[in-house]
Amino acid sequence: MSRLHVAVVALFASLALFVTGCNQNNGPPRYKLSGEVTFAGQPIPNGQIIFTPDSSKGNSGPQGIATIKDGRYDTSAPEGRGVGGGATIIRVTGQGPDGHQLLCEFEEKVDLPKQDSERKIEVPATATNRKPASPEV
């Protein structure tokens, strides 16, 4: 094999590795989810939302996370992580303006779209300082 042939094969092999490395998927797709989040009809000042794939419905994958600030959340914000979509358990922990007082804990099961979307999350007044049983969807 000539030196030129070896060099050409090495070049193509390197390019193939480079292209493959650039196109690697870092796990399942994640989608942006954002919207309002209220407690008893009022915006939740602070808190966190965790989006967990519902394994009882056959959904799996990584959790999504969003911080609540002034009644809004966004999984694509710097401290957030997108959602996978499908059957999901949403867990909301709402806190007061100082970020320390627990306002509510709430959990619901939903089916999220597998695309970027918006969703309003309404925490009922009955969720005050406790985590109620998950409603069936």
Side-chain angles (χ1 to χ4, degrees):
M1 202 186 273
S2 72
R3 283 186 162 164
L4 178 61
H5 188 246
V6 170
V8 169
V9 169
L11 176 65
F12 279 110
S14 297
L15 284 173
L17 287 172
F18 176 76
V19 170
T20 302
C22 288
N23 290 329
Q24 283 181 341
N25 186 355
N26 295 328
R30 291 180 182 253
Y31 305 100
K32 174 184 174 180
L33 184 64
S34 61
E36 290 180 73
V37 59
T38 61
F39 170 56
Q42 299 299 312
I44 295 176
N46 291 294
Q48 184 178 50
I49 305 173
I50 298 175
F51 303 88
T52 304
D54 189 347
S55 61
S56 72
K57 304 270 184 177
N59 197 8
S60 63
Q63 285 185 320
I65 297 173
T67 299
I68 301 169
K69 185 69 178 159
D70 299 325
R72 305 260 334 145
Y73 72 95
D74 186 341
T75 61
S76 68
E79 64 280 354
R81 290 191 311 218
V83 299
T88 303
I89 301 168
I90 297 177
R91 290 183 179 95
V92 177
T93 302
Q95 300 169 327
D98 63 0
H100 299 291
Q101 175 194 8
L102 180 64
L103 292 179
C104 59
E105 290 183 305
F106 177 69
E107 180 177 298
E108 69 176 331
K109 293 183 178 186
V110 300
D111 193 20
L112 297 175
K114 293 189 177 194
Q115 64 185 27
D116 293 348
S117 58
E118 288 195 14
R119 179 182 192 87
K120 183 175 183 177
I121 300 172
E122 299 177 271
V123 178
T126 57
T128 304
N129 293 326
R130 65 181 183 85
K131 185 189 246 179
S134 299
E136 291 299 315
V137 176

